[in-house]
Amino acid sequence: MPLKKMKLAVLVSGNGSNLQAIIDSIERNELHIDLSIVISNVENALALKRAKKHGIKSVFIDPAIYPNKKEFDQIMAGKLKEMSIDLICLAGYMQILGKDFIKSFSGRIINIHPSLLPAFPGLNAQKQAIEYGVKFSGCSVHFVDEGVDSGPIILQTAVPVYDNDEEMSLSRRILEQEHHLYPKAIKLITENKLNQNGRTVTLKKS
Ligand code: GRF
């Protein structure tokens, strides 16, 4: 009998190209997960349109309705629990999640960040990389903890930074790799192939 699929929620705020990569992997049958809901805190996010186009339940939660982020998080957490979501992927979700939200889904939230963490956490990671003068940057998928982009790293891909790179060109090169890396990391989780020892995440030996 096939194992029950994990239930995935993707949180977005913008373009949603990583969401698209996840959807495509599912539709190509490479990733076996039930993408149960896409939630956005931005009403006109292209990501929501992408989800709708593929018949995925998509919800806009309006931050303006709630007096603070804590209450916003509570509403979102309630929805995710009600749906028995197993895994939450942040894909360009531009709002910091509160401690309570993170605690209640501990070890079940992952994020993709456009740098080789721990270098250049936070906003404008690609710009930070160029200004610092690094010769390689890349992307990281990591578990979310209470810090900013500071949780245990699951997978990373490096890309070169060229002398004539600008923020846009480097972002494009990194994004291309993100679209491979995120579905790959999710697949490892769905197949229960990761070991974690403190901060260190490794592949289980088969
Ligand atoms: C990506 O660069 C991701 O690493 C960062 O936000 C961007 C989202 O892009 N967290 P998209 O919305 O998936 O196209």
Side-chain angles (χ1 to χ4, degrees):
M1 220 175 51
L3 285 176
K4 204 165 157 275
K5 281 185 191 170
M6 286 178 85
K7 295 186 84 178
L8 172 69
V10 181
L11 309 191
V12 295
S13 302
N15 180 33
S17 68
N18 278 290
L19 167 70
Q20 188 69 55
I22 296 167
I23 295 172
D24 293 346
S25 299
I26 294 171
E27 291 188 349
R28 282 198 302 264
N29 231 1
E30 291 164 4
L31 189 55
H32 302 284
I33 196 161
D34 173 9
L35 177 39
S36 307
I37 188 166
V38 172
I39 299 180
S40 174
N41 64 335
V42 175
E43 187 168 20
N44 57 4
L46 178 57
L48 280 179
K49 295 196 183 78
R50 293 181 192 263
K52 281 190 192 123
K53 198 172 156 201
H54 291 264
I56 299 158
K57 182 179 167 79
S58 36
V59 174
F60 161 57
I61 305 182
D62 188 353
I65 292 178
Y66 303 98
N68 51 50
K69 278 192 194 139
K70 198 174 165 151
E71 290 199 21
F72 177 94
D73 279 1
Q74 271 169 6
I75 294 298
M76 188 159 68
K79 192 144 210 65
L80 297 170
K81 283 181 186 158
E82 182 188 297
M83 294 183 70
S84 307
I85 294 297
D86 300 298
L87 181 68
I88 300 169
C89 285
L90 311 184
Y93 181 67
M94 300 304 286
Q95 188 165 288
I96 306 249
L97 292 166
K99 284 191 176 107
D100 293 340
F101 184 95
I102 292 169
K103 260 195 208 130
S104 52
F105 294 97
S106 173
R108 294 191 287 143
I109 313 173
I110 63 174
N111 179 41
I112 187 153
H113 181 76
S115 77
L116 292 178
L117 292 169
F120 316 127
L123 293 175
N124 307 317
Q126 303 93 331
K127 186 162 177 267
Q128 292 185 56
I130 287 181
E131 285 175 0
Y132 197 91
V134 291
K135 303 304 177 197
F136 284 89
S137 188
C139 45
S140 309
V141 177
H142 64 92
F143 286 111
V144 172
D145 66 8
E146 287 173 17
V148 176
D149 302 318
S150 58
I153 293 166
I154 301 169
L155 290 176
Q156 294 186 302
T157 302
V159 306
V161 181
Y162 299 123
D163 291 349
N164 59 354
D165 261 333
E166 287 171 1
E167 190 183 347
M168 279 297 279
S169 54
L170 179 60
S171 299
R172 265 199 303 273
R173 193 173 310 119
I174 294 174
L175 199 57
E176 212 182 297
Q177 295 308 318
E178 292 184 33
H179 297 159
H180 298 291
L181 197 67
Y182 217 1
K184 195 170 160 187
I186 297 168
K187 190 174 167 73
L188 290 172
I189 293 173
T190 60
E191 294 175 350
N192 191 24
K193 287 195 173 152
L194 297 178
N195 264 328
Q196 191 175 349
N197 182 7
R199 288 204 50 90
T200 308
V201 180
T202 51
L203 285 182
K204 281 184 184 161
K205 294 201 178 77
S206 50

